[in-house]
Amino acid sequence: MALPININKLLSGSSVEWERLEFKKGWNPEDTLHTICAFANDINNWGGGYIILGVAEDNGRPVLPPFGLNPSEIDSIQKELINQCHRLNHFYMPVIQPEVFKEKHILILWVYGGDERPYEAPIALGKRSEKAIYVRRSSATCKANEQEKRQLQEVSVIIPFDDRVNHNSDITDLNLGNIQAYLKSVNSNLYEESLSIPFAELCQQMKIVRGPSEYLKPLNIGLLMFNEHLEDYFPGASIDVVIYQDEVGDRFSEKSFTGPIHHQLKIALQFIETNVIKEEIQKVQGQAEAMRFFNYPFEAIEEALSNAVYHRSYEHQNKIEVNVRLDCIEIISYPGPLPPVNEKTLTQKRIVARNYRNRRVGDFLKELNLTEGRATGIPKIYKSIENNGSPQPTITTDIDHTHFLVVFDIHPLSQVEAQVEAQVEAQVELSEIEVKIIGYCTVSPKSKTELARLLGYDTVPGNLKRAVSKLVKSEIIEYTIPLKVKSKNQKYKLTPKGITFSRVQK
């Protein structure tokens, strides 16, 4: 039976994080059993992991092409593996898949997070060997220390919501066409088998159902991914996009996206890209090449919305909201992040979380390239923001972790023509270069050299110096360092009057 993932992506670490991959050149039953125990314990609720036999490793990365296993030994390895798994304190059997990769025989073990944690494995293979709890620390399998034992006891009490059985549903609520479309889109070998094997067997292989044959029920993850009417089971599992036409909020258009979570995410992103994201082109004086930028970097919006789908709680009835206002985009999901991530942590550009609310949702979205691996989503947002020249995003929660909010401000030079028209209302006459200076200083204080670079000049030209001088005299910008203190690092920031003026422009 094939696995519901793409083998090439698995071995490259692009769909599963390296910490969840263990490569072993050959068959070592004791070492393999310890790693099975550690992945099954899934102390961080990451979703278990994969053991690849027949592939050597170097610093946690695979050495390719694979070393390979002797084809004549694969059956005996599988039989011995079953016997060894009976030696765990609770019987646990990973999904085993023989594969031929780059003309070499390998064996892939899918060790999903177990239901009867904590698992213990014999320290040695002797008959009277003591047992120990094994866990993963980064990319290593280790005996659990006292703190990790306590942590494992805590997380084992609660199975993540997306991995629980939904007793109010039936296996017929899972859509075969959606399942096959998913397997085909990720280039899984299981797609071909899905055309001929019994439906129940296919669902069991994908670990989206659980229970005896007479009471086989879908897991929540199966319904979230492969049911067309999520509102019947998860009333808040949808995305609302609201586009406002005025500052008061009286005029707006609203669109709700429903269906399987990966479908609604894709369609919502397409809608935002088509109706909200706009590329702008502005000519730069004295420069042949025009300046190009977007009002909002789509890559950042895509990552933030994907993270909301990944990390929200599907037990709550609150929908994901995307509010497109005149000067910003707000993406809010419920509830907030799990501890120890808090409001202070969210000010950092890289966030490493210990606990994950949904251990299966992330795997499916990553396989579809809809979200990043752990701790890489926030850096991706900041990088795309920086590349577009947009203001830094605001990422917040509250003290009670009731929500998670990401705010993207519009590019300061977006819709410059509209900003120039707003000068009539503000009763201030400014040139286009002066409006741009205000826009850049709205993001953060800037020196003349920085302003020149942003405007496309190699040096500080006279018209830029005159524009800065005029804005200082008009009390729209001011020095960050007292004028009497000469400094080459002198920068300019908006005055209260300048802040008010910049708001009028938006």
Side-chain angles (χ1 to χ4, degrees):
M1 179 71 72
L3 297 173
I5 59 172
N6 182 283
I7 304 302
N8 288 296
K9 291 172 65 177
L10 175 69
L11 292 176
S12 68
S14 60
S15 61
V16 177
E17 298 84 350
W18 293 115
E19 295 94 328
R20 298 175 57 204
L21 296 175
E22 181 82 8
F23 301 97
K24 299 183 184 297
K25 183 177 180 180
W27 165 237
N28 182 324
E30 179 180 299
D31 189 45
T32 301
L33 186 61
H34 292 168
T35 305
I36 290 174
C37 179
F39 279 140
N41 277 326
D42 195 19
I43 192 170
N44 294 305
N45 281 333
W46 289 346
Y50 295 81
I51 303 172
I52 299 94
L53 304 179
V55 177
E57 65 90 18
D58 182 21
N59 292 323
R61 302 294 191 269
V63 177
L64 300 175
F67 182 79
L69 299 172
N70 188 330
S72 63
E73 297 178 349
I74 289 180
D75 283 343
S76 62
I77 290 175
Q78 293 184 72
K79 291 177 182 177
E80 186 176 357
L81 186 59
I82 294 173
N83 292 332
Q84 293 299 333
C85 286
H86 276 285
R87 302 189 65 186
L88 297 170
N89 60 328
H90 306 294
F91 177 69
Y92 174 97
M93 193 65 212
V95 177
I96 307 173
Q97 174 59 34
E99 285 283 345
V100 177
F101 183 76
K102 296 186 182 296
E103 302 181 351
K104 295 290 184 178
H105 290 265
I106 62 175
L107 203 60
I108 301 176
L109 313 181
W110 175 21
V111 190
Y112 51 91
D115 295 333
E116 298 183 82
R117 299 178 291 180
Y119 292 91
E120 296 179 343
I123 297 174
L125 296 186
K127 291 184 178 181
R128 297 183 179 180
S129 174
E130 293 183 0
K131 292 183 177 180
I133 296 174
Y134 289 87
V135 296
R136 293 287 286 184
R137 291 186 205 139
S138 187
S139 299
T141 296
C142 311
K143 289 182 185 178
N145 57 35
E146 291 303 317
Q147 180 181 350
E148 289 166 332
K149 289 178 182 177
R150 288 193 297 271
Q151 181 184 341
L152 187 56
Q153 290 286 353
E154 292 172 2
V155 300
S156 64
V157 174
I158 302 175
I159 298 175
F161 181 77
D162 62 343
D163 215 16
R164 297 180 201 169
V165 172
N166 192 304
H167 295 282
N168 297 318
S169 64
D170 188 82
I171 190 172
T172 56
D173 294 323
L174 301 177
N175 186 294
L176 175 60
N178 285 346
I179 293 174
Q180 291 177 331
Y182 167 80
L183 294 173
K184 188 173 183 179
S185 68
V186 301
N187 295 318
S188 168
N189 293 336
L190 187 56
Y191 169 71
E192 295 295 334
E193 295 185 24
S194 72
L195 303 176
S196 58
I197 64 174
F199 182 59
E201 186 178 344
L202 171 64
C203 294
Q204 288 175 315
Q205 184 68 12
M206 295 184 67
K207 300 299 177 186
I208 57 175
V209 296
R210 190 181 298 138
S213 58
E214 68 275 12
Y215 191 76
L216 197 60
K217 292 289 185 177
L219 303 184
N220 286 328
I221 182 61
L223 295 169
L224 288 168
M225 291 292 299
F226 307 118
N227 181 277
E228 290 291 341
H229 303 286
L230 298 190
E231 63 276 6
D232 294 342
Y233 307 98
F234 319 102
S238 62
I239 301 172
D240 284 355
V241 179
V242 183
I243 301 179
Y244 292 90
Q245 277 86 46
D246 59 29
E247 292 183 353
V248 178
D250 292 336
R251 297 172 53 239
F252 62 87
S253 60
E254 183 176 6
K255 191 169 181 63
S256 186
F257 300 90
T258 59
I261 56 174
H262 58 300
H263 287 176
Q264 60 180 253
L265 174 58
K266 285 183 177 180
I267 298 172
L269 287 171
Q270 290 172 0
F271 177 81
I272 293 171
E273 186 173 23
T274 302
N275 295 278
V276 178
I277 307 300
K278 301 184 185 301
E279 183 180 20
E280 301 195 29
I281 303 173
Q282 293 187 9
K283 293 182 178 180
V284 179
Q285 186 175 356
Q287 181 175 306
E289 187 176 350
M291 181 187 299
R292 293 175 176 268
F293 58 88
F294 292 89
N295 56 346
Y296 301 99
F298 176 71
E299 193 175 39
I301 305 297
E302 179 183 35
E303 188 60 34
L305 188 54
S306 298
N307 281 344
V309 172
Y310 180 3
H311 296 296
R312 62 155 295 176
S313 170
Y314 291 94
E315 295 180 85
H316 286 63
Q317 296 189 13
N318 303 81
K319 301 178 180 181
I320 294 174
E321 302 172 16
V322 181
N323 296 313
V324 182
R325 304 192 183 276
L326 297 183
D327 59 352
C328 69
I329 293 179
E330 304 165 345
I331 299 177
I332 185 168
S333 57
Y334 305 88
L338 291 171
V341 177
N342 53 33
E343 191 166 11
K344 183 178 180 181
T345 308
L346 294 177
T347 61
Q348 302 171 7
K349 291 189 176 182
R350 179 175 292 275
I351 300 171
V352 180
R354 187 184 68 188
N355 298 319
Y356 285 78
R357 185 172 282 116
N358 303 304
R359 69 181 180 187
R360 298 291 303 280
V361 169
D363 282 347
F364 277 100
L365 295 183
K366 281 179 276 190
E367 190 70 20
L368 290 165
N369 297 320
L370 288 173
T371 190
E372 295 289 306
R374 290 190 311 279
T376 59
I378 299 297
K380 183 177 179 180
I381 289 175
Y382 278 101
K383 183 177 180 181
S384 60
I385 285 288
E386 182 180 343
N387 291 342
N388 192 59
S390 295
Q392 294 290 296
T394 303
I395 305 176
T396 59
T397 185
D398 59 3
I399 192 170
D400 295 320
H401 291 221
T402 62
H403 69 272
F404 188 92
L405 174 65
V406 184
V407 180
F408 297 98
D409 288 326
I410 197 168
H411 193 288
L413 297 185
S414 185
Q415 302 172 332
V416 169
E417 292 180 4
Q419 293 178 0
V420 173
E421 292 174 3
Q423 294 173 42
V424 177
E425 296 182 26
Q427 297 181 345
V428 178
E429 290 188 13
L430 298 177
S431 66
E432 183 174 325
I433 189 173
E434 290 161 355
V435 171
K436 290 182 178 181
I437 291 172
I438 293 173
Y440 285 127
C441 290
T442 300
V443 179
S444 63
K446 296 289 188 296
S447 66
K448 289 179 181 177
T449 302
E450 290 172 328
L451 290 170
R453 190 183 306 115
L454 290 168
L455 291 166
Y457 299 112
D458 294 329
T459 59
V460 180
N463 63 334
L464 174 57
K465 293 179 181 178
R466 289 189 293 272
V468 169
S469 178
K470 176 182 175 182
L471 292 174
V472 171
K473 290 180 180 179
S474 301
E475 297 182 345
I476 292 177
I477 65 174
E478 63 184 359
Y479 303 104
T480 57
I481 303 173
L483 188 57
K484 60 182 180 181
V485 180
K486 294 185 178 180
S487 172
K488 62 180 180 180
N489 298 318
Q490 180 65 268
K491 295 188 177 185
Y492 301 87
K493 65 179 181 179
L494 294 187
T495 64
K497 177 181 176 180
I499 294 173
T500 301
F501 177 71
S502 68
R503 288 173 179 168
V504 171
Q505 294 181 68
K506 293 181 179 180

